[in-house]
C-alpha cells in the first residue's frame, strides 16, 4: 500500500491507496512556521494510518517547493519554514524508511497522468492556476524532474508576446517583473478585474458575474484567456504535450476550456495547435494522490 502526503501551507493531507482505490484519507492543520512540528506531524500521521491499516506502506510527499540538487535542502517553498531544511532526510530518519519527495505541481501532473484527465497520454503538462502558478511534466507515466528539479516551472518565465500595456509587468516576489505568475494566478485575475471594473472579487465570483452579463468581469476573463493562451503556446512550442491539464482554483472556470484552445493557433509553431486543454479530474485531491504514486 502507498501513502501520499500533501504538505500544504495551511493543511497537511494524507491518503492511503491500495491498487487504484483510496482506502483512507486524513487532513490536519499544518503547524505553520514550525519545522520540527511539521516533521512530527507527518511522522504521527503515517503512524496513525499504518496502525489503522495494520500494514507498512511506502511514503511519497508533495511539497510546495523543491529539494536543491546543490545543497539537498528545500528551496522555492512558499511555506517558508521548510526552506533550508533537509526535509527528505529528516523524514526518512523519523519514519525509518526511504521517502520520495517532489514538488506538489509534479504530484498533480502525475496523478492526472496516472488515472485522471490525462490518463494514457504520453507527454502531459499539468499547470496549476491558484495562489501561484506552478507546473509539472510527466512523460510516459514518470515525472520529469530535470537537472535542477525545476522542470515544468513556467510561472517565473516572462509572459510571452507581451502587449505594450503588459510591459514591464507587475513586480514578482522572485525579484523579476512580468512573470507569468503575476498574470495567471488567482490573485492576478482578481487584480485584472479590479483594474477594469474598480471592484474586488475572487475568481469564482468573477466567472459568475461574467455569466450574469457583467461586462467588466467578461473583459477581465477575456484578457486572462489571451494571456493563458500565450503562456501555454510557449509551453507547446518546447514540449509539444499530448494533453494539458489545468488545476487550482482558477481552473474551475469552465469557459477557459472553450475560449483558450482557439487562441493558441497564432502562437504555436505548427500547422496544428490542438492539444486538449482539460480540467483536472481529481481536483484538490490530485496533489496527495500523485504523492502516493511516486512509488511504483
Ligand atoms: Zn517571478
Amino acid at each position: 500500500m502507498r501513502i501520499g502526503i500533501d504538505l500544504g501551507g495551511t493543511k497537511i493531507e494524507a491518503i492511503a491507496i491500495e491498487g487504484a482505490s483510496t482506502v483512507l484519507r486524513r487532513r490536519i492543520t499544518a503547524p505553520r512556521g514550525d519545522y520540527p512540528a511539521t516533521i512530527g506531524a507527518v511522522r504521527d500521521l503515517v503512524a496513525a494510518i499504518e496502525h489503522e491499516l495494520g500494514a507498512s506502506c511506502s511514503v511519497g510527499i508533495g511539497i510546495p517547493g523543491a529539494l536543491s540538487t546543490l545543497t539537498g535542502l528545500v528551496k522555492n517553498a512558499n511555506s517558508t519554514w521548510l526552506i533550508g531544511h533537509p526535509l527528505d532526510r529528516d523524514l526518512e530518519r523519523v519514519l525509518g524508511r526511504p521517502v520520495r519527495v517532489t514538488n506538489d505541481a509534479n504530484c498533480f501532473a502525475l496523478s492526472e497522468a496516472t488515472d485522471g484527465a490525462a490518463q494514457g497520454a504520453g507527454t502531459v503538462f499539468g499547470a496549476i492556476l491558484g495562489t501561484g502558478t506552478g507546473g509539472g511534466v510527466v512523460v510516459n507515466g514518470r515525472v520529469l524532474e530535470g537537472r535542477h528539479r525545476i522542470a515544468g516551472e513556467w510561472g517565473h518565465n516572462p509572459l510571452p508576446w507581451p502587449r505594450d500595456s503588459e510591459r514591464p509587468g507587475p513586480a514578482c516576489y522572485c525579484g523579476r517583473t512580468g512573470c507569468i505568475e503575476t498574470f495567471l494566478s488567482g490573485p492576478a485575475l482578481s487584480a485584472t478585474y479590479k483594474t477594469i471594473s474598480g471592484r474586488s472579487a475572487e475568481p469564482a465570483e468573477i466567472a459568475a458575474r461574467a455569466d450574469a452579463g457583467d461586462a467588466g468581469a467578461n473583459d477581465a476573463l477575456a484578457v486572462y484567456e489571451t494571456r493563458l493562451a500565450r503562456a501555454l503556446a510557449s509551453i507547446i512550442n518546447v514540449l509539444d504535450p499530448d494533453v494539458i491539464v489545468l488545476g487550482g482554483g482558477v481552473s474551475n472556470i469552465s469557459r477557459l476550456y472553450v475560449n483558450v484552445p482557439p487562441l493558441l493557433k497564432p502562437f504555436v509553431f505548427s500547422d496544428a495547435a490542438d492539444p486538449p486543454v482539460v480540467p483536472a479530474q481529481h481536483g484538490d485531491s490530485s496533489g496527495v494522490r500523485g504523492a502516493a504514486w511516486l512509488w511504483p
Side-chain angles (χ1 to χ4, degrees), residues 34-47:
D34 189 337
Y35 179 75
T38 301
I39 296 295
V42 172
R43 177 199 61 210
D44 294 348
L45 208 46
V46 170

Side-chain angles (χ1 to χ4, degrees), residues 208-236:
R209 289 180 189 180
D211 286 345
D214 178 325
N218 186 61
D219 290 351
L221 281 170
V223 168
Y224 185 90
E225 286 157 358
T226 69
R227 291 169 175 169
L228 179 56
R230 281 177 274 153
L232 290 177
S234 70
I235 294 291
I236 295 170

Side-chain angles (χ1 to χ4, degrees), residues 66-75 84-89 149:
L67 289 164
S68 165
T69 51
L70 286 179
T71 63
L73 310 177
V74 175
K75 62 175 179 175
H85 292 284
L87 181 78
D88 56 341
R89 280 172 277 151
R149 300 195 179 124

Side-chain angles (χ1 to χ4, degrees), residues 156 172 174 179:
H156 299 278
C172 184
C174 75
C179 291

Side-chain angles (χ1 to χ4, degrees), residues 155-157 172-177 179-182:
H156 299 278
N157 279 353
C172 184
Y173 75 87
C174 75
R176 303 174 186 90
T177 56
C179 291
I180 284 173
E181 179 162 303
T182 68

